[in-house]
Structure formats: structure tokens, C-alpha cells
Amino acid sequence: MDKRIPALLTVCALGALTLTSCGSSGSSGGGTDADGKVTLKLVAADYGDKESNSSKAYWNGVATAFTAANPDIRVDVQVVNWNDIDQQVKTMIQSGNVPDVLQTGGYADKVADDLLYKAEDVLSPATRGNLIDSFARAGQVKGVQYGIPFVSSARLLFYNKALLQQAGVAQPPTTWEELRQAAEQVKAKVPGVTPYALPLGPEEAQGESMIWELGNGGGPTAKDGSYALDSQADIDTFRWLRTNLVDPGLTYANPATTDRKTAFADFAAGKAAMLDGHPSLIRMAKEGKVDYGVAPIPGKAGPLGSTLGVADWMMAFKKNGHRDQIRKFLDFAYAKDNMLKFDETYNLLPVTQDTLSALTAGGNHKDLEPFFAVLPNAVFYPLGDTTWDVVSAELKKGIGSAVSGDPAKVLADLQKKAQDAVANK
């Protein structure tokens, strides 16, 4: 096993594709029942793109099997779509209806409010030791681990081979200019197809924007870790996108209202020629019978030397006092068979050593090999910063307007909000 791969995968928010909010039957929340049994409340993000493959079924299965092995502990499961989970969890916390276990995209803001157990309090030494080291370190705030990595992913350029061939594009683009030219050819020769799907809607605008910023030497932070949302590199990135993709009609008419769910669905239906995607798109493309390829993401001057590496997180709340029960549940949930099933179901990359070994053995996951190959150069959101969740939420809401309005003004407004978040933390 090549240990360089897990060593460089650290943080982020993978997101998901569904807009359907799901919940399970069972009790209304965590607590101690009249019969003395404890009910844990689990809130988890949905990774499915439709009801038939919602994460609800997976977590209900885990909960049922866990209670069968631990009859004194029930698990109430609530699965929420990615667009809504942050706000729903915020409302739960404000109302005192705090979950015992939360699986979502970020943890640091909960650490800032002193809501979480330390990872060492809710994981056995064996489970902690099975986490890929860099993932565990990425869950730290000021040297203490609170975030428990759950799944990981990375991004590559997906392209529809048939559409590019029909447009006369011989090879996938390696630079922004080549991407623009390829998109122009698709528009001219394959009418009715979106040449490049640019989703800057609230589902995952922070991810798509960061990928493009990296291609111009920018990103959300400066070298010292401070926010640099309105750096000249980032302003120039959005000016290029507006001038070369949005205004000429080579992408969606309004990227700021277009979510990744739409972009992925369009690609899987053969209605988009190119986009940045993660491994979950592989299954969708195959189901849509799209002959797809993947390639390094184009940068301004050449293939991107890095990619967006991401991880989603599990965390445990202190409020209900169920530390021992949470520990039993998390040890069960992180068992190899459970983690392997989730990763394979959604074409995600692992965060535990035994699951990584299982996935890489025997060459049974050829489709994922390009993603493993780019991980050594992956870069990540500043998720360990306790203000990142606030800043990320602002980026989701507002950064898409930088390709329709004045990028300098839009990014300056976002930078001010980021600085205010830092000042108020």
C-alpha cells in the first residue's frame, strides 16, 4: 500500500447530490427511555442523488445491526440533504435538540462553541489507530482531535468522449485557453449541449470556485493562513470565467443558481460535455451510458499541479452525556465492512487503513485509480480554522455572483465578511 496517498488527504466538505430530505422512523431524538435504554440521535448528510440510493437506507441498516448487537442502545437516524443540513443542525443546537452524533462537512465551529467530545473520548484505541494518520491530524484544532474523518474524495476533469469527438476536439483540454476553445467547438457543432458545466450555486460553490482559483495560483487563503478571498489572482480568475465562459454562453446562463446536482445530472444525461467532478459521478455516468474520460483539471498555464482533496466528518456532542454509548456506536460504524460498503456504494475514497487496503487490493477499482494518483498533490479547505464554516457558508451564498457582477466588489464583500468572522470568533 502506497502510504503517500493517505498521507496527503486531509480536510473538506464532499457534499452530495440529492435535494430530498430524509428521516427515519423511530424516536424523535436522543435520550434515556422509560425502560432504561438509551436512544442516540444520529444526523447524517445524504450522499445519494435520488431516493432509491439515499444514505437513509445505509444508516438505517447500520443502526438496526448495531441495536441487534447492543440491545440497550437504540439509534434514531435522520438523513438530511446537503443544502439544508447546516441550517437544520444550527436550529437543533439553538433549540437544545442536540444530536449525539453528526456526520457532515465541517466540525470546527462546533469546537469553537465547546460542544464536542474529543475523539479520544468516543473512539477506542483500535478505531483511532485505524484512521489514516493525516486524516486524524486534519481533525485537530490546536493540536486536539475533535473531527473524525468519515469519507474522502478528490476532483478531476470529466469529459464526454463522444461529444468532444463530435465537436472535433482530439484531446481533453490542459489549459484554460484550450478549455475555452473546446467549449466553443462544442457550442458550434453540438447544439443543445452545455459545453462546460459551471455550478456556482449554493450546494458547493466553495469547491468549484476554489478549483478555478487554484488554477491561477490563488485560493481562499494566503500562505500565512489568513483569508485572501479578494486577492488579485482570485479576482482575475472570476474575470476570466465571466469573459470567456459565461458571457459567450459556453456554460449555464446563471451559474450562481446552478447547483452541482444539476451539473452532474446533465453530464450523466449526455447534456454537458465537460465539468469538474468527483468519483460519485462515475456511477451516474455509467448509468447514463456516457462514455466518459477523466483528466487533470486544466489550469491557466497547464494542467493543475494539485487537485481539491476533500473529506467529510463525524463528530460527537457532549450535551446528552452519552459518551460510552457513542463510543460503542462509532466503533461499530467504523468497522471495515460498514466503511467499505459506504465507500463502494457512493464511489468515495476511504479514511481507514483497512478499508483502503481492501479497495486497492486486486485491481477491482480501476475507475478510482486516477483519483488515487492525484491525491499526493491535493490541497484542502482551511477546515481547522474555527471560522471556516461561517466563511464557507458565505461563499456558497455569494461567490457565484462574481461571474455576473463585478468580481472585485463581490470578492471584497466576501473578504470583509471573512474578516468579521475572524474578529468575532
Side-chain angles (χ1 to χ4, degrees):
M1 180 176 67
D2 187 347
K3 294 185 178 179
R4 295 175 303 161
I5 291 174
L8 287 156
L9 245 179
T10 53
V11 296
C12 278
L14 301 183
L17 311 175
T18 185
L19 292 178
T20 303
S21 181
C22 308
S24 74
S25 59
S27 66
S28 60
T32 301
D33 303 332
D35 57 6
K37 296 181 179 180
V38 168
T39 296
L40 297 178
K41 181 174 182 177
L42 166 68
V43 176
D46 196 346
Y47 290 75
D49 61 313
K50 49 192 174 183
E51 182 66 24
S52 61
N53 75 330
S54 168
S55 304
K56 175 184 177 181
Y58 170 82
W59 283 116
N60 281 344
V62 171
T64 298
F66 173 73
T67 297
N70 300 271
D72 291 335
I73 310 173
R74 302 186 181 103
V75 182
D76 175 68
V77 175
Q78 182 179 356
V79 174
V80 184
N81 74 75
W82 279 95
N83 278 356
D84 296 336
I85 191 167
D86 289 346
Q87 184 57 51
Q88 287 200 22
V89 170
K90 182 178 180 180
T91 300
M92 290 175 188
I93 293 171
Q94 290 174 341
S95 65
N97 185 25
V98 179
D100 293 287
V101 179
L102 171 65
Q103 188 276 303
T104 187
Y107 60 86
D109 61 326
K110 286 83 174 174
V111 177
D113 293 333
D114 193 28
L115 299 176
L116 302 182
Y117 283 115
K118 299 175 184 178
E120 65 185 38
D121 293 334
V122 290
L123 294 179
S124 69
T127 299
R128 288 185 69 204
N130 191 36
L131 295 173
I132 294 169
D133 288 343
S134 60
F135 293 178
R137 290 195 300 271
Q140 294 180 358
V141 175
K142 296 181 179 179
V144 178
Q145 185 186 356
Y146 296 90
I148 305 165
F150 180 65
V151 288
S152 64
S153 187
R155 302 292 192 268
L156 288 173
L157 177 74
F158 279 74
Y159 59 95
N160 184 312
K161 293 180 180 179
L163 294 180
L164 292 194
Q165 183 178 18
Q166 188 177 344
V169 179
Q171 299 292 334
T174 62
T175 67
W176 286 1
E177 177 58 22
E178 288 180 4
L179 188 147
R180 184 194 64 78
Q181 292 175 1
E184 283 188 340
Q185 290 177 239
V186 171
K187 182 179 180 180
K189 298 182 179 180
V190 195
V193 168
T194 300
Y196 179 85
L198 180 68
L200 290 172
E203 184 184 348
E204 206 203 18
Q206 85 287 3
E208 183 73 15
S209 61
M210 182 169 168
I211 290 169
W212 283 95
E213 291 166 353
L214 291 172
N216 196 31
T221 57
K223 290 182 179 181
D224 64 2
S226 62
Y227 289 111
L229 303 180
D230 61 346
S231 68
Q232 192 61 51
D234 290 353
I235 292 170
D236 291 345
T237 295
F238 283 94
R239 283 180 176 156
W240 189 94
L241 286 170
R242 178 176 180 174
T243 301
N244 293 277
L245 291 185
V246 180
D247 288 350
L250 301 180
T251 185
Y252 297 112
N254 191 354
T257 62
T258 306
D259 282 336
R260 183 184 59 182
K261 175 181 184 290
T262 299
F264 276 28
D266 285 349
F267 186 83
K271 297 179 181 179
M274 297 175 287
L275 80 170
D276 295 330
H278 57 62
S280 292
L281 185 53
I282 294 172
R283 175 188 52 77
M284 295 178 66
K286 288 182 175 179
E287 289 179 353
K289 302 189 184 305
V290 171
D291 184 12
Y292 75 93
V294 296
I297 293 172
K300 185 175 182 180
L304 196 60
S306 57
T307 186
L308 178 63
V310 297
D312 287 341
W313 301 89
M314 192 79 73
M315 63 211 74
F317 287 79
K318 297 187 291 186
K319 183 177 186 298
N320 300 324
H322 293 152
R323 182 188 64 183
D324 294 342
Q325 292 84 2
I326 292 171
R327 183 184 180 104
K328 288 182 179 179
F329 175 73
L330 290 179
D331 282 347
F332 186 90
Y334 275 78
K336 182 180 72 172
D337 289 348
N338 288 327
M339 298 297 283
L340 186 62
K341 181 177 181 180
F342 195 92
D343 291 342
E344 290 187 323
T345 296
Y346 298 107
N347 260 352
L348 293 166
L349 306 181
V351 296
T352 53
Q353 296 176 22
D354 55 2
T355 308
L356 178 62
S357 297
L359 285 170
T360 55
N364 295 324
H365 297 278
K366 291 290 185 182
D367 291 337
L368 294 177
E369 290 181 1
F371 293 89
F372 283 112
V374 299
L375 293 181
N377 293 318
V379 295
F380 311 95
Y381 303 120
L383 194 58
D385 189 319
T386 56
T387 64
W388 173 244
D389 280 359
V390 174
V391 174
S392 177
E394 293 295 338
L395 291 174
K396 290 178 182 181
K397 290 188 295 183
I399 202 165
S401 60
V403 296
S404 58
D406 178 2
K409 182 179 185 307
V410 172
L411 296 182
D413 288 345
L414 289 168
Q415 176 68 11
K416 183 179 184 305
K417 291 178 180 178
Q419 291 173 334
D420 289 344
V422 171
N424 294 328
K425 72 176 180 180

